[in-house]
Protein backbone atom coordinates (compact mmCIF):
# COMPACT_ATOMS: atom_id res chain seq x y z
CA UNK A 1 0.00 0.00 0.00
CA UNK A 2 1.42 3.40 -0.95
CA UNK A 3 0.80 6.70 0.82
CA UNK A 4 -1.72 7.39 -1.94
CA UNK A 5 -4.00 4.53 -0.92
CA UNK A 6 -5.08 6.22 2.31
CA UNK A 7 -4.70 9.64 3.89
CA UNK A 8 -5.60 10.11 7.55
CA UNK A 9 -7.25 6.66 7.44
CA UNK A 10 -9.62 7.70 4.66
CA UNK A 11 -9.46 5.32 1.69
CA UNK A 12 -8.84 6.89 -1.69
CA UNK A 13 -10.80 5.75 -4.72
CA UNK A 14 -8.85 4.22 -7.60
CA UNK A 15 -7.91 6.85 -10.20
CA UNK A 16 -9.74 9.55 -8.21
CA UNK A 17 -7.55 12.17 -9.89
CA UNK A 18 -9.46 11.64 -13.13
CA UNK A 19 -12.73 12.75 -11.51
CA UNK A 20 -13.97 16.34 -11.58
CA UNK A 21 -12.47 18.31 -8.69
CA UNK A 22 -15.87 18.89 -7.10
CA UNK A 23 -16.32 15.10 -6.83
CA UNK A 24 -13.23 14.63 -4.65
CA UNK A 25 -13.49 14.02 -0.93
CA UNK A 26 -11.13 16.01 1.36
CA UNK A 27 -8.51 13.25 1.50
CA UNK A 28 -8.48 12.93 -2.29
CA UNK A 29 -8.22 16.71 -2.64
CA UNK A 30 -5.13 16.73 -0.42
CA UNK A 31 -3.61 13.73 -2.21
CA UNK A 32 -3.79 15.58 -5.52
CA UNK A 33 -0.88 17.81 -4.49
CA UNK A 34 2.40 16.61 -6.03
CA UNK A 35 4.57 18.28 -3.37
CA UNK A 36 6.61 20.37 -5.81
CA UNK A 37 6.50 23.52 -3.63
CA UNK A 38 5.95 25.86 -6.60
CA UNK A 39 2.83 27.35 -5.07
CA UNK A 40 4.92 28.34 -2.04
CA UNK A 41 7.27 30.52 -4.07
CA UNK A 42 6.74 34.22 -3.47
CA UNK A 43 5.09 35.91 -6.41
CA UNK A 44 4.90 39.52 -7.51
CA UNK A 45 1.92 40.95 -9.32
CA UNK A 46 2.23 43.87 -11.72
CA UNK A 47 -0.43 46.34 -10.52
CA UNK A 48 -1.02 47.63 -14.05
CA UNK A 49 -1.23 44.39 -16.02
CA UNK A 50 -2.03 41.84 -13.32
CA UNK A 51 0.83 39.71 -14.65
CA UNK A 52 2.24 37.29 -12.07
CA UNK A 53 6.01 36.89 -11.73
CA UNK A 54 7.49 34.03 -9.73
CA UNK A 55 10.58 34.48 -7.60
CA UNK A 56 13.02 31.83 -6.43
CA UNK A 57 12.17 32.77 -2.84
CA UNK A 58 10.05 30.34 -0.86
CA UNK A 59 7.62 30.99 1.95
CA UNK A 60 9.33 30.85 5.31
CA UNK A 61 7.18 27.85 6.29
CA UNK A 62 8.25 25.67 3.34
CA UNK A 63 10.63 22.89 4.33
CA UNK A 64 12.97 22.82 1.34
CA UNK A 65 14.08 19.25 2.06
CA UNK A 66 10.56 17.84 1.76
CA UNK A 67 8.78 20.68 -0.12
CA UNK A 68 6.00 20.49 2.44
CA UNK A 69 4.68 23.21 4.68
CA UNK A 70 6.13 23.06 8.17
CA UNK A 71 2.85 24.27 9.70
CA UNK A 72 0.30 23.18 7.12
CA UNK A 73 -2.80 23.15 9.33
CA UNK A 74 -2.26 26.70 10.62
CA UNK A 75 -0.42 28.23 7.66
CA UNK A 76 -3.10 30.79 6.82
CA UNK A 77 -2.89 32.17 10.37
CA UNK A 78 0.90 32.39 10.23
CA UNK A 79 1.40 33.75 6.71
CA UNK A 80 -0.54 36.74 5.45
CA UNK A 81 -1.79 36.04 1.95
CA UNK A 82 -1.45 32.27 2.18
CA UNK A 83 -4.40 30.72 0.40
CA UNK A 84 -5.85 27.45 1.61
CA UNK A 85 -6.63 25.97 -1.76
CA UNK A 86 -10.09 24.44 -1.90
CA UNK A 87 -12.87 24.06 -4.44
CA UNK A 88 -14.19 27.42 -3.18
CA UNK A 89 -10.87 29.27 -3.65
CA UNK A 90 -9.66 27.51 -6.79
CA UNK A 91 -10.99 29.91 -9.44
CA UNK A 92 -9.51 32.91 -7.60
CA UNK A 93 -6.17 31.10 -7.23
CA UNK A 94 -5.79 29.83 -10.83
CA UNK A 95 -3.89 32.87 -12.16
CA UNK A 96 -0.98 32.36 -9.75
CA UNK A 97 -0.83 28.59 -9.83
CA UNK A 98 1.99 27.05 -11.87
CA UNK A 99 1.14 25.37 -15.16
CA UNK A 100 2.15 21.95 -13.79
CA UNK A 101 -0.08 22.16 -10.71
CA UNK A 102 -2.44 19.19 -10.49
CA UNK A 103 -5.28 21.39 -9.27
CA UNK A 104 -4.86 23.71 -12.22
CA UNK A 105 -4.51 20.88 -14.71
CA UNK A 106 -7.64 19.15 -13.46
CA UNK A 107 -9.59 22.44 -13.32
CA UNK A 108 -8.67 22.89 -17.00
CA UNK A 109 -9.74 19.32 -17.80
CA UNK A 110 -6.19 18.16 -18.48
CA UNK A 111 -4.50 14.98 -17.18
CA UNK A 112 -1.75 14.83 -14.59
CA UNK A 113 1.80 14.58 -15.93
CA UNK A 114 3.48 11.17 -16.05
CA UNK A 115 5.90 12.17 -13.27
CA UNK A 116 3.10 12.92 -10.77
CA UNK A 117 3.35 10.70 -7.66
CA UNK A 118 -0.21 9.47 -8.20
CA UNK A 119 1.03 7.86 -11.43
CA UNK A 120 4.45 6.74 -10.20
CA UNK A 121 3.57 5.84 -6.61
CA UNK A 122 6.76 7.64 -5.56
CA UNK A 123 7.15 11.13 -4.14
CA UNK A 124 10.71 11.23 -5.51
CA UNK A 125 9.41 11.31 -9.08
CA UNK A 126 8.74 15.05 -8.70
CA UNK A 127 12.41 15.74 -7.92
CA UNK A 128 13.62 13.28 -10.57
CA UNK A 129 11.53 15.10 -13.20
CA UNK A 130 13.06 18.44 -12.20
CA UNK A 131 9.72 19.76 -10.94
CA UNK A 132 10.65 20.44 -7.30
CA UNK A 133 11.74 23.84 -5.97
CA UNK A 134 14.04 22.08 -3.50
CA UNK A 135 17.02 22.41 -5.83
CA UNK A 136 16.89 26.18 -6.27
CA UNK A 137 14.57 27.98 -3.86
CA UNK A 138 15.88 30.25 -1.13
CA UNK A 139 13.86 30.72 2.07
CA UNK A 140 12.33 34.17 2.45
CA UNK A 141 14.08 34.78 5.77
CA UNK A 142 17.38 34.84 3.83
CA UNK A 143 16.26 37.52 1.36
CA UNK A 144 15.56 41.20 1.94
CA UNK A 145 12.03 42.01 0.75
CA UNK A 146 13.41 44.98 -1.20
CA UNK A 147 15.43 42.53 -3.31
CA UNK A 148 12.47 40.43 -4.52
CA UNK A 149 12.44 42.18 -7.91
CA UNK A 150 15.94 40.80 -8.48
CA UNK A 151 14.81 37.26 -7.65
CA UNK A 152 12.26 36.92 -10.47
CA UNK A 153 12.47 33.66 -12.43
CA UNK A 154 10.52 32.25 -15.34
CA UNK A 155 7.55 29.96 -14.78
CA UNK A 156 8.87 27.28 -12.42
Amino acid sequence: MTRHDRIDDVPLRPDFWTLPLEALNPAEWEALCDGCGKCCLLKLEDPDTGEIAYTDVSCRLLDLRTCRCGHYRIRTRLVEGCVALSPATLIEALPWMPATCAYRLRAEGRPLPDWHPLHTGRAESVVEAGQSVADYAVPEYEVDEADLDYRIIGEP
Side-chain angles (χ1 to χ4, degrees):
M1 182 179 299
T2 70
R3 75 172 201 86
H4 296 296
D5 294 328
R6 300 177 83 74
I7 290 188
D8 294 332
D9 287 333
V10 175
L12 303 176
R13 293 174 285 180
D15 297 337
F16 69 87
W17 56 89
T18 63
L19 299 172
L21 290 173
E22 58 274 5
L24 302 183
N25 66 44
E28 292 166 341
W29 179 270
E30 290 297 321
L32 198 54
C33 176
D34 61 32
C36 69
K38 294 175 186 177
C39 61
C40 296
L41 293 176
L42 301 187
K43 296 156 213 56
L44 303 174
E45 182 175 2
D46 184 305
D48 297 324
T49 67
E51 184 178 345
I52 304 294
Y54 286 84
T55 71
D56 66 352
V57 180
S58 71
C59 170
R60 67 182 182 273
L61 299 182
L62 185 66
D63 179 334
L64 287 172
R65 287 183 302 100
T66 63
C67 279
R68 296 291 181 180
C69 182
H71 296 285
Y72 185 73
R73 298 215 189 272
I74 60 171
R75 68 194 182 282
T76 58
R77 287 185 278 169
L78 299 175
V79 177
E80 184 180 345
C82 180
V83 174
L85 196 59
S86 70
T89 62
L90 184 62
I91 297 303
E92 174 186 324
L94 280 179
W96 58 262
M97 294 169 64
T100 58
C101 177
Y103 299 100
R104 181 179 195 152
L105 292 170
R106 295 305 304 134
E108 295 172 348
R110 296 188 293 152
L112 300 183
D114 292 340
W115 51 260
H116 195 287
L118 290 171
H119 286 306
T120 68
R122 301 173 36 256
E124 302 82 24
S125 61
V126 178
V127 173
E128 292 165 358
Q131 296 298 321
S132 171
V133 302
D135 290 338
Y136 63 85
V138 178
E140 75 176 303
Y141 53 80
E142 292 183 9
V143 177
D144 188 313
E145 187 176 352
D147 292 336
L148 284 178
D149 284 343
Y150 302 108
R151 309 296 308 210
I152 293 174
I153 59 173
E155 170 93 16

